[in-house]
Amino acid sequence: MSNRIKARRAAAVTAPEIVRDQAIVSSFLSDAAHVPGGFADGVVFPRDEAEAASLVAHASRVLPVGAQSSLTGGATPRGDVVLSTRALTTLGQPANGRIRVGAGVPLHALQRSLAASAQYYPPVPTFDGAFVGGTIATNAAGAATFKHGSTRRWVEAITVVLANGDVLDVARGETRANAEGWFEIELTTGEARRVPVPQYVMPDVPKLSAGYYAAPEMDLIDLFIGAEGTLGIVIEATLRIIARPQRIAALIRCADDRQAVALTATLRDNAIAAWHKQGPLDVAAIEYMDARALRAVPDDAFARAGVTRPSGQSVMLLVQIELGSDAESALGRLQSVLTSTGIEDDPHLALAGDDRGAERLFNLREAVPSSVNAIVAATKQTHPEVEKTAGDMVVPFTRLAESIALYRTAFETRGIDYAIWGHVSDGNLHPNVVPHSFEEVRRGREAILEMARRVVAMGGAPLAEHGVGRSALKQQLLRELYGPDGIDQMRAVKRALDPEWKLAPGVLFSA
Ligand SMILES: Cc1cc2nc3c(=O)[nH]c(=O)nc-3n(C[C@H](O)[C@H](O)[C@H](O)COP(=O)(O)OP(=O)(O)OC[C@H]3O[C@@H](n4cnc5c(N)ncnc54)[C@H](O)[C@@H]3O)c2cc1C
């Protein structure tokens, strides 16, 4: 183990053509945050490491993109050459619980290929069209982070193109920062770059996508995971995989927030017992949809799911249970937990093997963000400055009830319509403005800033899984989390690896 690593030269090839045909470029000018005004100096589709390296070596600003499902504007070009990873589609054979994958492989394609051998890649975000490289760059997380952790835990090795066009093969466990807190990267020119580890302390939360990872004697691979393309371009990765779990999905109506939080706490306790082989109820994920979020969902989405729209203050939880050998004990235990928490309705269940039933329930969960996004888009028609305005807050689970009350008060005292949903088993919720005017968006940003400050004070973070990107608000939240000194420490890392500020400039922080 050393703090030193040597870069290698990619094979010499001609740089791929930069496509400047506006008909093609125009489809790369925005990401899922729909921030207007994206513009690019062309788009390029390297087919391998050598083509990517050759392009980067000669370019002045490059924005790597995957599926452009970023919710932060991080994949929206601002005059960069867009490096689309979609032609990096290597897909190796799974062996020994590992698979080697190109950065441009969409997660659904990876899962489909793994399903053939009854295997599975667990840390998937809700949007499974995201590319492997994009999920590594944002340390994506999802519903089942509660059991399986975020992307970071599953990445064993990466091949990265650095800003000068050199290539680095980084394998977990091979390169660690020394006790003084730095790595040394030897470039192919012979120059040694000293990369300092930031000194801030990361909050102790189950998921975090808030700039550079930092810890004493950290592994170099963790610096690139979650760096949002600012330190290097991920070309390929070796991922850990597991045997495909059998799953039950259960949609449960709770009378109100208080009951939903109590049920979540009991289910979490049961899950932790199950992981220690002390119980049958192995819960992997609990998703939360509040009454306001459910009100945004149209009737036909409930009809397709075969679910009656709940009334009043009802909250819904969608629970994923992984099965050992004994489905009956798991269901029996679930029933007794529901009874002891005072849940009145029977849950809607999709049993193991009932993929269509499970899909119907997951589609209802997905109808929540898409319905709110549709309201945002409709408001934009008459108020063009309106944009999606949402928090991505995570708190230690013991502070969950307090955090929900905080989100509600922050919106309600400002007279803002809103909805809350998210990955409640992690204490990670998305308080969203449901805007009817730009004024609500403006006040919504204020509310999110207030939430962020209070969440940080609770030991949580305002940047759980979507990252920071080029969003002014999220960059402000990053400063709230680590302070200006913390941002300067991140800049020092960037300067060491990318002194010309070539890769994803303006993502995470300004120059
Ligand atoms: C409906 C919906 C639901 C979502 N749910 C979740 C969720 O549950 N959890 C979650 O974490 N996120 C979620 N997201 C956000 C998004 O899907 C994730 O951030 C995802 O990881 C982005 O992957 P991508 O391939 O689309 O990357 P892009 O959006 O293309 O890029 C994101 C960032 O990564 C950088 N990047 C992309 N590829 C590379 C590469 N090969 N090397 C270096 N840098 C690169 C880009 O420069 C950019 O800064 C959701 C998005 C949508 C639209």
Side-chain angles (χ1 to χ4, degrees):
M1 179 89 64
S2 156
N3 76 325
R4 194 177 167 89
I5 184 170
K6 251 177 128 161
R8 63 179 169 81
R9 203 164 273 134
V13 295
T14 315
E17 181 206 358
I18 299 178
V19 178
R20 294 203 164 90
D21 176 349
Q22 278 311 308
I24 296 171
V25 174
S26 60
S27 60
F28 289 89
L29 298 183
S30 177
D31 60 29
H34 300 297
V35 189
F39 64 107
D41 181 23
V43 53
V44 66
F45 304 94
R47 289 165 300 177
D48 55 27
E49 157 200 306
E51 288 195 350
S54 170
L55 181 277
V56 171
H58 298 104
S60 59
R61 359 177 351 141
V62 179
L63 183 71
V65 303
Q68 292 186 295
S69 66
S70 168
L71 296 170
T72 67
T76 296
R78 299 278 162 202
D80 328 86
V81 169
V82 174
L83 187 154
S84 165
T85 52
R86 76 176 183 203
L88 300 171
T89 51
T90 322
L91 195 48
Q93 283 302 315
N96 305 321
R98 307 273 186 283
I99 187 167
R100 185 82 178 159
V101 197
V105 174
L107 291 176
H108 56 67
L110 171 63
Q111 300 293 25
R112 207 169 39 242
S113 137
L114 291 173
S117 53
Q119 295 182 85
Y120 183 67
Y121 176 62
V124 275
T126 314
F127 177 64
D128 69 356
F131 290 4
V132 164
T135 58
I136 293 173
T138 55
N139 186 29
T145 301
F146 170 55
K147 176 168 183 189
H148 296 295
S150 63
T151 298
R152 182 179 306 286
R153 200 197 280 182
W154 297 86
V155 182
E156 280 292 290
I158 47 175
T159 294
V160 202
V161 167
L162 298 176
N164 71 342
D166 279 0
V167 181
L168 212 54
D169 297 302
V170 190
R172 192 171 286 288
E174 285 184 359
T175 311
R176 282 189 176 280
N178 63 9
E180 289 94 67
W182 45 273
F183 301 100
E184 193 159 68
I185 299 184
E186 188 183 323
L187 302 178
T188 54
T189 54
E191 183 193 349
R193 292 267 173 85
R194 185 181 278 210
V195 182
V197 175
Q199 298 300 302
Y200 46 75
V201 177
M202 299 196 309
D204 184 13
V205 283
K207 46 173 53 161
L208 190 65
S209 184
Y212 302 149
Y213 184 94
E217 299 183 40
M218 65 178 280
D219 197 303
L220 179 62
I221 198 169
D222 286 322
L223 195 56
F224 289 98
I225 299 170
E228 299 192 38
T230 59
L231 301 180
I233 299 175
V234 179
I235 302 295
E236 271 187 18
T238 303
L239 306 175
R240 287 198 302 120
I241 49 179
I242 58 170
R244 188 173 189 77
Q246 292 270 25
R247 264 205 221 121
I248 293 176
L251 183 71
I252 300 162
R253 186 185 74 81
C254 302
D256 53 22
D257 274 342
R258 194 198 49 75
Q259 195 176 51
V261 171
L263 176 58
T264 303
T266 311
L267 288 170
R268 276 173 48 105
D269 291 346
N270 273 267
I272 292 161
W275 303 340
H276 292 92
K277 308 260 175 278
Q278 283 167 5
L281 193 53
D282 182 353
V283 172
I286 310 171
E287 295 285 283
Y288 165 96
M289 294 160 265
D290 84 343
R292 287 163 165 273
L294 293 167
R295 277 202 285 278
V297 174
D299 289 341
D300 60 337
F302 280 98
R304 278 195 299 275
V307 173
T308 308
R309 178 189 285 285
S311 58
Q313 290 312 303
S314 294
V315 168
M316 290 195 117
L317 297 182
L318 180 57
V319 181
Q320 289 179 47
I321 299 160
E322 291 187 2
L323 293 178
S325 51
D326 191 357
E328 229 167 83
S329 312
L331 282 171
R333 182 74 198 140
L334 175 66
Q335 191 50 58
S336 65
V337 166
L338 297 183
T339 308
S340 68
T341 330
I343 302 290
E344 288 172 0
D345 299 356
D346 286 338
H348 290 268
L349 289 175
L351 298 178
D354 179 8
D355 292 345
R356 292 183 66 178
E359 199 180 325
R360 277 198 291 272
L361 299 182
F362 290 123
N363 286 346
L364 181 61
R365 157 68 177 88
E366 270 327 285
V368 167
S370 52
S371 306
V372 170
N373 292 347
I375 296 172
V376 176
T379 308
K380 225 175 153 65
Q381 300 286 320
T382 44
H383 302 82
E385 325 88 308
V386 162
E387 57 187 40
K388 185 173 169 74
T389 309
D392 177 21
M393 310 284 167
V394 59
V395 293
F397 188 77
T398 49
R399 312 295 291 265
L400 177 67
E402 199 184 332
S403 73
I404 296 176
L406 160 68
Y407 309 150
R408 294 200 187 291
T409 309
F411 283 137
E412 286 169 15
T413 52
R414 292 175 172 85
I416 300 168
D417 191 5
Y418 69 97
I420 305 176
W421 66 87
H423 315 301
V424 72
S425 37
D426 291 317
N428 169 210
L429 293 177
H430 303 307
N432 270 250
V433 176
V434 179
H436 307 290
S437 68
F438 180 64
E439 178 51 23
E440 280 179 337
V441 167
R442 199 193 56 72
R443 278 184 269 133
R445 288 180 189 147
E446 266 175 33
I448 286 169
L449 207 52
E450 181 196 336
M451 292 173 204
R453 289 185 180 133
R454 308 243 332 245
V455 156
V456 171
M458 288 181 202
L463 298 157
E465 57 175 17
H466 298 156
V468 176
R470 283 172 162 162
S471 153
L473 178 60
K474 287 182 184 280
Q475 294 194 359
Q476 193 173 351
L477 301 186
L478 189 63
R479 288 193 295 276
E480 292 291 333
L481 183 61
Y482 291 132
D485 284 356
I487 307 301
D488 280 345
Q489 290 166 20
M490 287 194 214
R491 285 200 180 96
V493 175
K494 168 86 173 159
R495 209 172 296 120
L497 278 164
D498 181 12
E500 291 165 23
W501 236 259
K502 190 189 277 190
L503 301 177
V507 168
L508 295 179
F509 40 73
S510 63

